[in-house]
Amino acid sequence: MHSSTPAARSGTHTRSSTFGAVVRVTSGNFLEQFDFFLFGFYATYISRIFFPSSSEFASLMLTFAVFGAGFLMRPLGAIVLGAYIDEVGRRKGLIVTLTIMASGTILIACVPAYDTIGLLAPALVLLGRLLQGFSAGAELGGVSVYLAEMATPGHRGFYTSWQSASQQVAIVVAAALGYLLNHWLTTQEIGAWGWRIPFFVGCAIVPVIFLLRRTLKETAEFEARPRHPGTREIWNATLKNWRAVFAGMLLVAMTTTTFYLITVYTPTFGKTVLKLSTADSLIVTVCVGFSNFLWLPIGGALSDRVGRKPILIAIPVLAICTSYPALHWLCAAPSFGRMLAVLLWLSFFFGMYNGAMVAALAEIMPVEVRVAGFSLAFSLATAVFGGFTPAVSTYLIEATGDKAAPGYWLSFAAVCGLAATLALYRRSDTARRAARHAIDGT
């Protein structure tokens, strides 16, 4: 006697297929964030090897500038690769972005030191970051739109939240690898060659992710469209909808700034500013990754139930009121416990806000330029705000002498997100009222 009905088996199969599709599409996101985080965490070692200087501050600023340069390539990648994905399909486009991203990763992992090849070393590192940034410009948008288009009715926020949730897995894995290296190797060994090991791990998982992406199916929504516009049409449509792109950029400002502050910048902040141990910084980062992973789907699912607007207003207001005071409290008496408490509080901001924001951004973009518009808005926000958060934080602390100064930068980004939310939803509310009056008048 069979223990399950055909309908039950079909439901199980559907859930399994959906889970597999989510894993396949977000696998590239894992690699992207894994590599980005490694560059930020090992910034102090990279600065000495590729950007040697008599000043530690100058070397670190050069390293973070190269890190940020990758984000300047994101808008270009969003325009070129985003339009390509809107034209040829999500599946083919995401395989192309993965290829470019993997090339940058392999290059950075294998570049010899400045002492070996001179100025060619920092030039190649910069090239690797530019390739990563170019591909990432459309990778995130392509993945987010894919998840939005495959989502079941009423669950778009929950589905799209897994785009960023996959990145949190990368944060945890990268931080855990760093912790193990710190335990097994001396500081001198890590500085000489040990820092490359996690990058080689990233190279090793590239073939696995390629296999996963190759089995990805095109979204039914994309295939159902009677016509797919060409690249030039997509570019023109994106330009026509520049207001939506600009508002989307401001909407993303808070999430990208918070993310890079609590993940990529955390190890450097803990070691160089708070003077805590490397192990303490890594443990906090692992905890932040787990916390982000928890709050993201909660934020997405909650926004499906109560709407995007309440969350997109409440979280920025909390951030404006508490970001600087929390960091000031931490810097007044640095300790592992205080650092963990403050960063978990900021993690709550990020997870809840981003869980609602990604779905909202996908919804405000016209369908014909959904990937290009989404990618461009996200890339511009990352280039202007998030990507340079480590550099801006380092500069603000140096210029003001206030160790909590990054709180000002985060509060400013929260103001941008709040303003965008109020503008976007005022416009949509006005449009709905106009449509309702038109119907009532007929």
Side-chain angles (χ1 to χ4, degrees), residues 26-66:
T26 57
S27 58
N29 253 6
F30 171 91
L31 179 65
E32 173 200 337
Q33 201 54 53
F34 183 77
D35 294 331
F36 274 43
F37 178 75
L38 290 179
F39 197 98
F41 171 63
Y42 292 107
T44 52
Y45 300 112
I46 291 173
S47 65
R48 296 168 192 156
I49 292 172
F50 298 112
F51 307 95
S53 172
S54 57
S55 166
E56 181 181 0
F57 169 72
S59 293
L60 200 56
M61 282 300 293
L62 281 171
T63 303
F64 280 138
V66 170

Side-chain angles (χ1 to χ4, degrees), residues 181-355:
L181 287 177
N182 189 63
H183 179 71
W184 289 333
L185 303 177
T186 66
T187 303
Q188 291 73 25
E189 288 172 331
I190 295 175
W193 52 269
W195 67 271
R196 294 183 187 268
I197 293 176
F199 283 93
F200 285 127
V201 171
C203 295
I205 64 177
V206 166
V208 178
I209 297 177
F210 264 113
L211 290 175
L212 290 173
R213 278 277 169 95
R214 285 186 63 188
T215 60
L216 198 64
K217 294 181 180 179
E218 186 55 77
T219 65
E221 182 176 334
F222 181 85
E223 289 184 328
R225 291 176 199 159
R227 178 180 176 274
H228 300 117
T231 300
R232 187 174 295 277
E233 291 178 83
I234 294 170
W235 287 347
N236 290 336
T238 303
L239 183 62
K240 181 181 177 182
N241 290 281
W242 68 268
R243 289 184 179 85
V245 172
F246 180 75
M249 179 193 75
L250 296 181
L251 194 68
V252 179
M254 178 180 163
T255 196
T256 187
T257 300
T258 308
F259 179 73
Y260 284 99
L261 182 67
I262 66 176
T263 56
V264 173
Y265 185 59
T266 292
T268 300
F269 184 66
K271 285 188 298 182
T272 63
V273 179
L274 302 180
K275 306 302 180 184
L276 299 177
S277 70
T278 300
D280 283 348
S281 298
L282 284 168
I283 293 173
V284 168
T285 305
V286 170
C287 293
V288 166
F290 278 117
S291 176
N292 290 346
F293 187 84
L294 171 68
W295 288 116
L296 281 161
I298 292 176
L302 184 62
S303 74
D304 287 329
R305 294 183 64 86
V306 305
R308 322 289 182 213
K309 183 179 177 181
I311 297 175
L312 296 179
I313 289 177
I315 297 300
V317 169
L318 271 177
I320 294 167
C321 295
T322 66
S323 293
Y324 179 81
L327 284 170
H328 181 76
W329 175 73
L330 167 60
C331 295
S335 68
F336 170 80
R338 287 197 177 200
M339 185 177 184
L340 179 62
V342 169
L343 290 190
L344 288 181
W345 177 239
L346 299 182
S347 168
F348 169 74
F349 292 166
F350 167 75
M352 293 296 291
Y353 183 86
N354 195 72

Side-chain angles (χ1 to χ4, degrees), residues 308-309 312 360 420-430:
R308 322 289 182 213
K309 183 179 177 181
L312 296 179
T421 298
L422 294 175
L424 283 169
Y425 283 92
R426 185 188 302 117
R427 188 182 308 155
S428 63
D429 290 343
T430 301

